[in-house]
Amino acid sequence: MEKSSKSKKRLNTAKELPLIIAEYYQECHEAKKEGRPVGWMPPMNGGIELFYAMGLQPVFPENWSPVCAAFGLTHKNFEVCEGMGYSRDLCGYLRNIIGYVHGMMGGPDNPLGGLPEPDIILPPQGGCSPVMKIFQALMRRFPQARTFYADMPQVAIENIRDHHMNYAVFEMKRLVNFLEEVTGRKLDYDRLKEVVRLSDKACELWDEIMSYRRFIPTPISASEIGIMFVMVTRQGTQTAVDYLTRVRDELKERAEQKVGILENEKVRLFWDNIPLWYNMGLFNYFEKMGGVVVAETYSAAWSLRLDADNPMETLARKTLTSYPLVSCVSIKKRKEMVLKACREYAIDGAILHRNKSCVPITLGQMDIKRELEEMDIPALIIDADHMDDRNFSTAQFQTRADAFMEMLLSRKGYSL
Amino acid sequence: MISDLARPFDEIVRNMDQELQTLASEGKRLIGYFCTYTPVELIHASGFIPVRILGDAGTVEKAYTLTPDFICPYLRKAVEKGLNGSYKCLDGLVQGYTCDAACGVANIWEANMGADPFHILPLPYVDQDESRSFLRSGLEDLAEILKRAGGDFSQERLADSLDIYGRIRTLMSELYEIRYEHRLPLSAEDFLTIVQAGFITAPERYLSMLHDLIDALPETCDPGEGVPILVSGSLIEETKVLRIIEESGGRVVADDLCTGMRNFVPAYGHGSDPMDQLIDRFMNRFPCPSRSSAEYRLPRLLDLMKHSKACAMVFVFQKYCTPHLSDYPFLNDALKDKGIPSIMVELDETGIMEGQLKTRLESFFEMIGW
């Protein structure tokens, strides 16, 4: 297995994805040309719906990192960033995007045309520390951009109280005022309701798509997780709803016909933490042995429902809950989610990616592992990094994965 | 070597387990915390003794089973020490959300070592009226949680706690002022030991020890030798690194550490009631990079250098510390532009490679040629 390899796509709709991605980045460049303000922001927050409702263009630097990984550009970006004095111990998203904006951005070899420069920057306060620091660095790089410091409580979902919600709503309203002031565009609340309705529809479809992974054999695996792109960049648009509808329809048909991802599905796996964006082919490795990843932690970030009748409140809640849902703000809650998924998706074994680029998701994994084992679900830890392949050892992965799969297959009565 | 002046503080630090056990046997209830952004005054006002959970010298063995090796050594060692039973006297754990690692480790602590009450307090990043109201609600929430755990909070009690901690911070600030004038007869190692003792013992006792220390200070003091430096970083536990810095030709005259000045400035907050004063102090703290940007910190660090007549900066970071490592390139470039020499030292869990560090530092101080 190569360090960089691509996953095998079986769904026809997954094969449409490159076009969807290209169209999104084209739209970003058109916005810049047309003078439609471009705003850079972190994903998983209500800013995306506000932007689409106001006809502004949202751009997600974090999402650009997997694109760079897919195009094999991360090494160049890391080199620039580390040359500036940033430590190799810092998150790969941070090193990639800082390297990109100080290096190849605007140059001739940018895939998909690269990123258009921001007119607005929305630094997050309330996500993880590296994202906060990424945006501080971006503000330094693009001093002409107007910036808005949002403040979002970092609170465990089970501890959310009225004052957290009130403050989050206040901050959303402050953001609206800021956007209206710097863009001269007025937010139309009816239009916002429509955008939120579309966003909610996308979430509903997302959940429906994920629920097909409960089928045995599963008609969709983690290899197709790239469809998440529309949840990151297109929430609140008809494009996302149309695409996800097509994905859902294809899955429905495959499920009805009992067409699985694998001809002979033997072992069902759970993946904890972000995948290796530069090596999605890792999933092929399990699939060759009859193992298919049918659930993961990361996809839960979009399993929210939104209330279109109360757009500001619902967007505030979305912003407040998305990060804690997948991080270590409450390990108790995340553990509950993982264990529930393992029960619902009939998981035989879990792969816990100990991710050097993501402390918030990695912390607590050992506690999760212990509880999985109490449920008689063996768990494998692999040491890697979602962005930096220098922190991934293919041989070590293969040794561990082989032993793990052999054990799981043997437990299920398959002869080796 | 610890001086006679710092010896009583060193006794407490070296006998931490015993110190905590004594407090517990006196009927005191102890609440642990990791970051100094935790509202210790409120914990104290509720009838508990806040204890900063420290790590330990040495390597991590048991904590490998609970934490990855790419979080800061401080937190890993703290878990190690917890697993070794040093903190069995703690009742609960309260943590202000500062960095992801501290938040995650607090959760791990609760799951594996138990903590009741357990609370992570969200903290605002911006200062506006609504942020202050939000923080007030969070603090009231915490007071309620502590009340359910047998605490007894009132505004009057908070006023008393603010007074005690304010007096401690004022005395520490006096020591800092003497240090800025280069006439403090304490090594950096002594100084850190004095600060650390304050994390472990009851504030009433610590206040009295600080009074004794200040009374015992000589009228005059030899300014000593060495390049006057500012040490900036996260948290230093092992006093040895400061000793090496001073043995290699530096003299620490100021710091930007959370085991140092960041914990003491300002001494008090202003406001119409004790809760407002607590909030105001939080909002005006000398900023930690986990709560602010490098641009915000730079002018404050430069002021500190000017005030203390430090002529070089030594960055001392815990390995893997995202907030500090992310601010470092900007700060380093800015210092370079101003002609201020700087060097960066990382602490890993095995401590420091003494010989190598000493050689680097000696070359650095020689290069400055002060």
Side-chain angles (χ1 to χ4, degrees), chain A residues 89 129 132-133 140 151 154 161 167 170-171 328 331 366-367 370, chain B residues 65 100 107 112 125 128 130-131 141 289-290 292 295 319 327:
Chain A
D89 288 330
S129 308
M132 189 171 91
K133 291 296 173 187
R140 224 169 274 150
D151 201 352
Q154 288 153 309
R161 304 262 314 272
Y167 189 48
F170 170 80
E171 286 295 275
C328 62
I331 291 175
M366 302 305 279
D367 291 295
R370 195 177 54 226
Chain B
T65 60
D100 310 324
N107 271 269
N112 294 279
Y125 288 86
Q128 51 189 346
E130 288 71 17
S131 324
D141 236 14
S290 73
S292 62
E295 284 84 350
K319 195 166 165 64
D327 277 7

PDB file of all heavy atoms in Angstrom, chain A residues 89 129 132-133 140 151 154 161 167 170-171 328 331 366-367 370, chain B residues 65 100 107 112 125 128 130-131 141 289-290 292 295 319 327:
ATOM      1  N   ASP A  89       5.010  19.942  15.456  1.00  0.00           N
ATOM      2  CA  ASP A  89       4.060  19.343  16.399  1.00  0.00           C
ATOM      3  C   ASP A  89       2.674  19.974  16.305  1.00  0.00           C
ATOM      4  O   ASP A  89       1.744  19.510  16.959  1.00  0.00           O
ATOM      5  CB  ASP A  89       4.572  19.487  17.842  1.00  0.00           C
ATOM      6  CG  ASP A  89       5.751  18.574  18.118  1.00  0.00           C
ATOM      7  OD1 ASP A  89       5.818  17.503  17.488  1.00  0.00           O
ATOM      8  OD2 ASP A  89       6.605  18.935  18.934  1.00  0.00           O
ATOM      9  N   SER A 129      -8.312  24.950  19.746  1.00  0.00           N
ATOM     10  CA  SER A 129      -7.222  25.941  19.795  1.00  0.00           C
ATOM     11  C   SER A 129      -6.541  26.131  18.432  1.00  0.00           C
ATOM     12  O   SER A 129      -6.281  27.271  18.035  1.00  0.00           O
ATOM     13  CB  SER A 129      -6.165  25.544  20.827  1.00  0.00           C
ATOM     14  OG  SER A 129      -6.748  25.284  22.065  1.00  0.00           O
ATOM     15  N   MET A 132      -8.519  28.434  16.161  1.00  0.00           N
ATOM     16  CA  MET A 132      -8.426  29.817  16.628  1.00  0.00           C
ATOM     17  C   MET A 132      -7.110  30.439  16.146  1.00  0.00           C
ATOM     18  O   MET A 132      -7.078  31.558  15.645  1.00  0.00           O
ATOM     19  CB  MET A 132      -8.490  29.816  18.154  1.00  0.00           C
ATOM     20  CG  MET A 132      -8.609  31.169  18.770  1.00  0.00           C
ATOM     21  SD  MET A 132      -8.930  31.001  20.533  1.00  0.00           S
ATOM     22  CE  MET A 132      -7.276  31.014  21.170  1.00  0.00           C
ATOM     23  N   LYS A 133      -6.044  29.653  16.241  1.00  0.00           N
ATOM     24  CA  LYS A 133      -4.728  30.165  15.846  1.00  0.00           C
ATOM     25  C   LYS A 133      -4.591  30.263  14.327  1.00  0.00           C
ATOM     26  O   LYS A 133      -3.881  31.123  13.824  1.00  0.00           O
ATOM     27  CB  LYS A 133      -3.616  29.288  16.448  1.00  0.00           C
ATOM     28  CG  LYS A 133      -3.505  29.412  17.957  1.00  0.00           C
ATOM     29  CD  LYS A 133      -3.109  30.816  18.361  1.00  0.00           C
ATOM     30  CE  LYS A 133      -3.140  31.048  19.844  1.00  0.00           C
ATOM     31  NZ  LYS A 133      -2.922  32.472  20.214  1.00  0.00           N
ATOM     32  N   ARG A 140      -3.507  38.028   9.962  1.00  0.00           N
ATOM     33  CA  ARG A 140      -2.195  38.638   9.781  1.00  0.00           C
ATOM     34  C   ARG A 140      -1.842  38.690   8.290  1.00  0.00           C
ATOM     35  O   ARG A 140      -1.292  39.651   7.790  1.00  0.00           O
ATOM     36  CB  ARG A 140      -1.186  37.739  10.499  1.00  0.00           C
ATOM     37  CG  ARG A 140      -0.158  38.428  11.318  1.00  0.00           C
ATOM     38  CD  ARG A 140       0.559  37.383  12.162  1.00  0.00           C
ATOM     39  NE  ARG A 140      -0.128  37.120  13.407  1.00  0.00           N
ATOM     40  CZ  ARG A 140      -0.101  35.949  14.038  1.00  0.00           C
ATOM     41  NH1 ARG A 140       0.556  34.916  13.555  1.00  0.00           N
ATOM     42  NH2 ARG A 140      -0.743  35.804  15.176  1.00  0.00           N
ATOM     43  N   ASP A 151     -17.879  35.064  19.678  1.00  0.00           N
ATOM     44  CA  ASP A 151     -17.567  34.410  20.946  1.00  0.00           C
ATOM     45  C   ASP A 151     -18.607  33.324  21.165  1.00  0.00           C
ATOM     46  O   ASP A 151     -19.785  33.613  21.237  1.00  0.00           O
ATOM     47  CB  ASP A 151     -17.661  35.450  22.067  1.00  0.00           C
ATOM     48  CG  ASP A 151     -16.890  35.034  23.300  1.00  0.00           C
ATOM     49  OD1 ASP A 151     -16.421  33.889  23.353  1.00  0.00           O
ATOM     50  OD2 ASP A 151     -16.765  35.866  24.213  1.00  0.00           O
ATOM     51  N   GLN A 154     -17.665  27.349  24.957  1.00  0.00           N
ATOM     52  CA  GLN A 154     -17.224  25.959  24.787  1.00  0.00           C
ATOM     53  C   GLN A 154     -17.844  25.161  25.930  1.00  0.00           C
ATOM     54  O   GLN A 154     -17.284  25.071  27.014  1.00  0.00           O
ATOM     55  CB  GLN A 154     -15.698  25.895  24.836  1.00  0.00           C
ATOM     56  CG  GLN A 154     -15.056  26.475  23.583  1.00  0.00           C
ATOM     57  CD  GLN A 154     -13.678  27.027  23.835  1.00  0.00           C
ATOM     58  OE1 GLN A 154     -13.462  27.813  24.741  1.00  0.00           O
ATOM     59  NE2 GLN A 154     -12.715  26.647  23.020  1.00  0.00           N
ATOM     60  N   ARG A 161     -27.203  25.611  29.021  1.00  0.00           N
ATOM     61  CA  ARG A 161     -28.253  26.256  29.809  1.00  0.00           C
ATOM     62  C   ARG A 161     -28.711  27.511  29.075  1.00  0.00           C
ATOM     63  O   ARG A 161     -28.130  27.900  28.060  1.00  0.00           O
ATOM     64  CB  ARG A 161     -27.694  26.639  31.193  1.00  0.00           C
ATOM     65  CG  ARG A 161     -27.096  25.472  31.989  1.00  0.00           C
ATOM     66  CD  ARG A 161     -28.090  24.913  32.993  1.00  0.00           C
ATOM     67  NE  ARG A 161     -28.753  25.973  33.744  1.00  0.00           N
ATOM     68  CZ  ARG A 161     -28.287  26.510  34.867  1.00  0.00           C
ATOM     69  NH1 ARG A 161     -27.155  26.080  35.369  1.00  0.00           N
ATOM     70  NH2 ARG A 161     -28.949  27.469  35.490  1.00  0.00           N
ATOM     71  N   TYR A 167     -26.436  33.911  25.072  1.00  0.00           N
ATOM     72  CA  TYR A 167     -25.191  34.553  24.630  1.00  0.00           C
ATOM     73  C   TYR A 167     -24.901  34.181  23.176  1.00  0.00           C
ATOM     74  O   TYR A 167     -24.486  35.034  22.373  1.00  0.00           O
ATOM     75  CB  TYR A 167     -24.052  34.122  25.550  1.00  0.00           C
ATOM     76  CG  TYR A 167     -22.760  34.880  25.330  1.00  0.00           C
ATOM     77  CD1 TYR A 167     -22.753  36.271  25.236  1.00  0.00           C
ATOM     78  CD2 TYR A 167     -21.540  34.219  25.221  1.00  0.00           C
ATOM     79  CE1 TYR A 167     -21.578  36.973  25.039  1.00  0.00           C
ATOM     80  CE2 TYR A 167     -20.353  34.906  25.032  1.00  0.00           C
ATOM     81  CZ  TYR A 167     -20.373  36.284  24.942  1.00  0.00           C
ATOM     82  OH  TYR A 167     -19.200  36.975  24.749  1.00  0.00           O
ATOM     83  N   PHE A 170     -27.138  36.160  20.984  1.00  0.00           N
ATOM     84  CA  PHE A 170     -26.659  37.545  20.956  1.00  0.00           C
ATOM     85  C   PHE A 170     -25.494  37.668  19.963  1.00  0.00           C
ATOM     86  O   PHE A 170     -25.433  38.612  19.167  1.00  0.00           O
ATOM     87  CB  PHE A 170     -26.213  37.975  22.363  1.00  0.00           C
ATOM     88  CG  PHE A 170     -25.491  39.279  22.386  1.00  0.00           C
ATOM     89  CD1 PHE A 170     -26.203  40.486  22.347  1.00  0.00           C
ATOM     90  CD2 PHE A 170     -24.099  39.330  22.405  1.00  0.00           C
ATOM     91  CE1 PHE A 170     -25.528  41.708  22.333  1.00  0.00           C
ATOM     92  CE2 PHE A 170     -23.423  40.543  22.382  1.00  0.00           C
ATOM     93  CZ  PHE A 170     -24.139  41.735  22.353  1.00  0.00           C
ATOM     94  N   GLU A 171     -24.584  36.714  20.000  1.00  0.00           N
ATOM     95  CA  GLU A 171     -23.431  36.755  19.115  1.00  0.00           C
ATOM     96  C   GLU A 171     -23.833  36.584  17.644  1.00  0.00           C
ATOM     97  O   GLU A 171     -23.248  37.204  16.758  1.00  0.00           O
ATOM     98  CB  GLU A 171     -22.413  35.677  19.517  1.00  0.00           C
ATOM     99  CG  GLU A 171     -21.639  36.006  20.787  1.00  0.00           C
ATOM    100  CD  GLU A 171     -20.753  37.225  20.639  1.00  0.00           C
ATOM    101  OE1 GLU A 171     -19.624  37.103  20.163  1.00  0.00           O
ATOM    102  OE2 GLU A 171     -21.225  38.327  20.993  1.00  0.00           O
ATOM    103  N   CYS A 328     -13.494  16.797  22.712  1.00  0.00           N
ATOM    104  CA  CYS A 328     -13.361  16.304  24.092  1.00  0.00           C
ATOM    105  C   CYS A 328     -14.005  17.245  25.097  1.00  0.00           C
ATOM    106  O   CYS A 328     -13.690  17.179  26.272  1.00  0.00           O
ATOM    107  CB  CYS A 328     -11.897  16.082  24.421  1.00  0.00           C
ATOM    108  SG  CYS A 328     -10.931  17.596  24.332  1.00  0.00           S
ATOM    109  N   ILE A 331     -16.234  14.091  27.077  1.00  0.00           N
ATOM    110  CA  ILE A 331     -15.876  12.743  26.607  1.00  0.00           C
ATOM    111  C   ILE A 331     -17.014  11.778  26.915  1.00  0.00           C
ATOM    112  O   ILE A 331     -17.276  10.835  26.169  1.00  0.00           O
ATOM    113  CB  ILE A 331     -14.541  12.304  27.247  1.00  0.00           C
ATOM    114  CG1 ILE A 331     -13.410  13.158  26.659  1.00  0.00           C
ATOM    115  CG2 ILE A 331     -14.266  10.823  26.993  1.00  0.00           C
ATOM    116  CD1 ILE A 331     -12.056  12.930  27.273  1.00  0.00           C
ATOM    117  N   MET A 366      -8.883   6.337  24.871  1.00  0.00           N
ATOM    118  CA  MET A 366      -8.548   5.156  25.681  1.00  0.00           C
ATOM    119  C   MET A 366      -9.729   4.759  26.566  1.00  0.00           C
ATOM    120  O   MET A 366      -9.956   3.580  26.817  1.00  0.00           O
ATOM    121  CB  MET A 366      -7.304   5.431  26.537  1.00  0.00           C
ATOM    122  CG  MET A 366      -6.085   5.815  25.735  1.00  0.00           C
ATOM    123  SD  MET A 366      -5.673   4.604  24.462  1.00  0.00           S
ATOM    124  CE  MET A 366      -4.800   3.408  25.439  1.00  0.00           C
ATOM    125  N   ASP A 367     -10.463   5.768  27.017  1.00  0.00           N
ATOM    126  CA  ASP A 367     -11.665   5.469  27.809  1.00  0.00           C
ATOM    127  C   ASP A 367     -12.720   4.811  26.925  1.00  0.00           C
ATOM    128  O   ASP A 367     -13.428   3.896  27.346  1.00  0.00           O
ATOM    129  CB  ASP A 367     -12.225   6.752  28.428  1.00  0.00           C
ATOM    130  CG  ASP A 367     -11.313   7.291  29.511  1.00  0.00           C
ATOM    131  OD1 ASP A 367     -11.154   6.603  30.525  1.00  0.00           O
ATOM    132  OD2 ASP A 367     -10.742   8.371  29.325  1.00  0.00           O
ATOM    133  N   ARG A 370     -11.765   1.185  26.303  1.00  0.00           N
ATOM    134  CA  ARG A 370     -12.060   0.312  27.442  1.00  0.00           C
ATOM    135  C   ARG A 370     -13.536  -0.085  27.451  1.00  0.00           C
ATOM    136  O   ARG A 370     -13.888  -1.237  27.629  1.00  0.00           O
ATOM    137  CB  ARG A 370     -11.688   1.047  28.733  1.00  0.00           C
ATOM    138  CG  ARG A 370     -11.597   0.143  29.941  1.00  0.00           C
ATOM    139  CD  ARG A 370     -11.148   0.902  31.171  1.00  0.00           C
ATOM    140  NE  ARG A 370     -11.992   2.055  31.416  1.00  0.00           N
ATOM    141  CZ  ARG A 370     -11.538   3.269  31.711  1.00  0.00           C
ATOM    142  NH1 ARG A 370     -10.254   3.482  31.790  1.00  0.00           N
ATOM    143  NH2 ARG A 370     -12.353   4.267  31.927  1.00  0.00           N
TER     144      ARG A 370
ATOM    145  N   THR B  65      -1.586   4.859  29.359  1.00  0.00           N
ATOM    146  CA  THR B  65      -2.815   4.109  29.107  1.00  0.00           C
ATOM    147  C   THR B  65      -4.017   5.028  28.920  1.00  0.00           C
ATOM    148  O   THR B  65      -5.081   4.575  28.521  1.00  0.00           O
ATOM    149  CB  THR B  65      -3.121   3.155  30.277  1.00  0.00           C
ATOM    150  OG1 THR B  65      -3.280   3.952  31.457  1.00  0.00           O
ATOM    151  CG2 THR B  65      -2.009   2.154  30.480  1.00  0.00           C
ATOM    152  N   ASP B 100      -7.589  22.914  24.618  1.00  0.00           N
ATOM    153  CA  ASP B 100      -8.276  21.640  24.382  1.00  0.00           C
ATOM    154  C   ASP B 100      -7.697  20.525  25.257  1.00  0.00           C
ATOM    155  O   ASP B 100      -8.429  19.679  25.772  1.00  0.00           O
ATOM    156  CB  ASP B 100      -8.124  21.215  22.916  1.00  0.00           C
ATOM    157  CG  ASP B 100      -8.491  22.328  21.967  1.00  0.00           C
ATOM    158  OD1 ASP B 100      -9.424  23.089  22.293  1.00  0.00           O
ATOM    159  OD2 ASP B 100      -7.843  22.451  20.910  1.00  0.00           O
ATOM    160  N   ASN B 107     -11.669  15.838  31.642  1.00  0.00           N
ATOM    161  CA  ASN B 107     -12.665  14.788  31.404  1.00  0.00           C
ATOM    162  C   ASN B 107     -12.111  13.401  31.740  1.00  0.00           C
ATOM    163  O   ASN B 107     -12.788  12.568  32.334  1.00  0.00           O
ATOM    164  CB  ASN B 107     -13.088  14.794  29.931  1.00  0.00           C
ATOM    165  CG  ASN B 107     -14.255  15.722  29.665  1.00  0.00           C
ATOM    166  OD1 ASN B 107     -15.404  15.321  29.733  1.00  0.00           O
ATOM    167  ND2 ASN B 107     -13.960  16.982  29.376  1.00  0.00           N
ATOM    168  N   ASN B 112     -11.560   8.571  35.286  1.00  0.00           N
ATOM    169  CA  ASN B 112     -10.638   7.565  35.814  1.00  0.00           C
ATOM    170  C   ASN B 112     -10.242   7.746  37.275  1.00  0.00           C
ATOM    171  O   ASN B 112      -9.875   6.780  37.932  1.00  0.00           O
ATOM    172  CB  ASN B 112      -9.374   7.522  34.955  1.00  0.00           C
ATOM    173  CG  ASN B 112      -9.675   7.023  33.569  1.00  0.00           C
ATOM    174  OD1 ASN B 112      -9.772   5.822  33.370  1.00  0.00           O
ATOM    175  ND2 ASN B 112      -9.874   7.939  32.622  1.00  0.00           N
ATOM    176  N   TYR B 125     -14.142  35.086  25.273  1.00  0.00           N
ATOM    177  CA  TYR B 125     -12.887  35.535  24.675  1.00  0.00           C
ATOM    178  C   TYR B 125     -12.884  37.048  24.442  1.00  0.00           C
ATOM    179  O   TYR B 125     -11.836  37.630  24.268  1.00  0.00           O
ATOM    180  CB  TYR B 125     -12.653  34.845  23.325  1.00  0.00           C
ATOM    181  CG  TYR B 125     -12.283  33.392  23.448  1.00  0.00           C
ATOM    182  CD1 TYR B 125     -13.257  32.412  23.530  1.00  0.00           C
ATOM    183  CD2 TYR B 125     -10.953  33.000  23.488  1.00  0.00           C
ATOM    184  CE1 TYR B 125     -12.920  31.072  23.639  1.00  0.00           C
ATOM    185  CE2 TYR B 125     -10.600  31.663  23.605  1.00  0.00           C
ATOM    186  CZ  TYR B 125     -11.590  30.701  23.677  1.00  0.00           C
ATOM    187  OH  TYR B 125     -11.239  29.391  23.795  1.00  0.00           O
ATOM    188  N   GLN B 128     -17.157  42.472  26.413  1.00  0.00           N
ATOM    189  CA  GLN B 128     -18.283  43.374  26.145  1.00  0.00           C
ATOM    190  C   GLN B 128     -19.283  43.143  27.289  1.00  0.00           C
ATOM    191  O   GLN B 128     -19.158  42.166  28.027  1.00  0.00           O
ATOM    192  CB  GLN B 128     -18.902  43.091  24.774  1.00  0.00           C
ATOM    193  CG  GLN B 128     -19.225  41.609  24.573  1.00  0.00           C
ATOM    194  CD  GLN B 128     -19.646  41.229  23.168  1.00  0.00           C
ATOM    195  OE1 GLN B 128     -19.957  42.066  22.363  1.00  0.00           O
ATOM    196  NE2 GLN B 128     -19.670  39.939  22.890  1.00  0.00           N
ATOM    197  N   GLU B 130     -22.220  42.007  27.399  1.00  0.00           N
ATOM    198  CA  GLU B 130     -22.902  40.700  27.360  1.00  0.00           C
ATOM    199  C   GLU B 130     -21.960  39.569  27.767  1.00  0.00           C
ATOM    200  O   GLU B 130     -22.394  38.586  28.353  1.00  0.00           O
ATOM    201  CB  GLU B 130     -23.467  40.430  25.958  1.00  0.00           C
ATOM    202  CG  GLU B 130     -24.671  41.271  25.595  1.00  0.00           C
ATOM    203  CD  GLU B 130     -24.333  42.731  25.355  1.00  0.00           C
ATOM    204  OE1 GLU B 130     -23.126  43.064  25.158  1.00  0.00           O
ATOM    205  OE2 GLU B 130     -25.258  43.553  25.359  1.00  0.00           O
ATOM    206  N   SER B 131     -20.661  39.707  27.413  1.00  0.00           N
ATOM    207  CA  SER B 131     -19.702  38.661  27.809  1.00  0.00           C
ATOM    208  C   SER B 131     -19.592  38.621  29.323  1.00  0.00           C
ATOM    209  O   SER B 131     -19.474  37.552  29.925  1.00  0.00           O
ATOM    210  CB  SER B 131     -18.309  38.923  27.252  1.00  0.00           C
ATOM    211  OG  SER B 131     -18.374  39.488  26.001  1.00  0.00           O
ATOM    212  N   ASP B 141     -23.603  29.652  38.151  1.00  0.00           N
ATOM    213  CA  ASP B 141     -23.820  28.216  37.921  1.00  0.00           C
ATOM    214  C   ASP B 141     -22.837  27.382  38.749  1.00  0.00           C
ATOM    215  O   ASP B 141     -23.206  26.412  39.401  1.00  0.00           O
ATOM    216  CB  ASP B 141     -23.493  27.931  36.443  1.00  0.00           C
ATOM    217  CG  ASP B 141     -24.646  27.290  35.731  1.00  0.00           C
ATOM    218  OD1 ASP B 141     -25.748  27.313  36.278  1.00  0.00           O
ATOM    219  OD2 ASP B 141     -24.428  26.776  34.613  1.00  0.00           O
ATOM    220  N   PRO B 289      -1.762  32.943  25.712  1.00  0.00           N
ATOM    221  CA  PRO B 289      -2.026  32.796  24.276  1.00  0.00           C
ATOM    222  C   PRO B 289      -3.248  31.935  23.969  1.00  0.00           C
ATOM    223  O   PRO B 289      -3.781  32.003  22.864  1.00  0.00           O
ATOM    224  CB  PRO B 289      -0.755  32.161  23.733  1.00  0.00           C
ATOM    225  CG  PRO B 289      -0.047  31.612  24.896  1.00  0.00           C
ATOM    226  CD  PRO B 289      -0.449  32.424  26.083  1.00  0.00           C
ATOM    227  N   SER B 290      -3.689  31.121  24.941  1.00  0.00           N
ATOM    228  CA  SER B 290      -4.884  30.321  24.663  1.00  0.00           C
ATOM    229  C   SER B 290      -6.136  31.196  24.669  1.00  0.00           C
ATOM    230  O   SER B 290      -7.194  30.771  24.241  1.00  0.00           O
ATOM    231  CB  SER B 290      -5.036  29.197  25.698  1.00  0.00           C
ATOM    232  OG  SER B 290      -5.436  29.722  26.936  1.00  0.00           O
ATOM    233  N   SER B 292      -5.916  34.642  23.640  1.00  0.00           N
ATOM    234  CA  SER B 292      -5.678  35.894  22.907  1.00  0.00           C
ATOM    235  C   SER B 292      -4.757  35.635  21.719  1.00  0.00           C
ATOM    236  O   SER B 292      -4.345  34.514  21.482  1.00  0.00           O
ATOM    237  CB  SER B 292      -5.038  36.917  23.846  1.00  0.00           C
ATOM    238  OG  SER B 292      -3.798  36.409  24.276  1.00  0.00           O
ATOM    239  N   GLU B 295      -0.576  39.260  18.455  1.00  0.00           N
ATOM    240  CA  GLU B 295      -0.567  40.720  18.270  1.00  0.00           C
ATOM    241  C   GLU B 295      -0.962  41.426  19.560  1.00  0.00           C
ATOM    242  O   GLU B 295      -0.467  42.500  19.884  1.00  0.00           O
ATOM    243  CB  GLU B 295      -1.555  41.152  17.174  1.00  0.00           C
ATOM    244  CG  GLU B 295      -1.106  40.905  15.765  1.00  0.00           C
ATOM    245  CD  GLU B 295      -1.400  39.484  15.303  1.00  0.00           C
ATOM    246  OE1 GLU B 295      -1.778  38.650  16.148  1.00  0.00           O
ATOM    247  OE2 GLU B 295      -1.249  39.218  14.110  1.00  0.00           O
ATOM    248  N   LYS B 319       6.335  20.994  25.319  1.00  0.00           N
ATOM    249  CA  LYS B 319       6.206  20.424  23.977  1.00  0.00           C
ATOM    250  C   LYS B 319       4.724  20.219  23.651  1.00  0.00           C
ATOM    251  O   LYS B 319       3.942  19.904  24.538  1.00  0.00           O
ATOM    252  CB  LYS B 319       6.964  19.096  23.917  1.00  0.00           C
ATOM    253  CG  LYS B 319       7.203  18.598  22.503  1.00  0.00           C
ATOM    254  CD  LYS B 319       8.235  17.472  22.516  1.00  0.00           C
ATOM    255  CE  LYS B 319       8.257  16.705  21.215  1.00  0.00           C
ATOM    256  NZ  LYS B 319       8.659  17.478  20.049  1.00  0.00           N
ATOM    257  N   ASP B 327       1.892  31.071  18.448  1.00  0.00           N
ATOM    258  CA  ASP B 327       2.244  32.499  18.563  1.00  0.00           C
ATOM    259  C   ASP B 327       3.728  32.746  18.313  1.00  0.00           C
ATOM    260  O   ASP B 327       4.128  33.857  17.985  1.00  0.00           O
ATOM    261  CB  ASP B 327       1.919  33.008  19.991  1.00  0.00           C
ATOM    262  CG  ASP B 327       0.450  33.391  20.146  1.00  0.00           C
ATOM    263  OD1 ASP B 327      -0.336  33.139  19.210  1.00  0.00           O
ATOM    264  OD2 ASP B 327       0.081  33.935  21.212  1.00  0.00           O
TER     265      ASP B 327
END
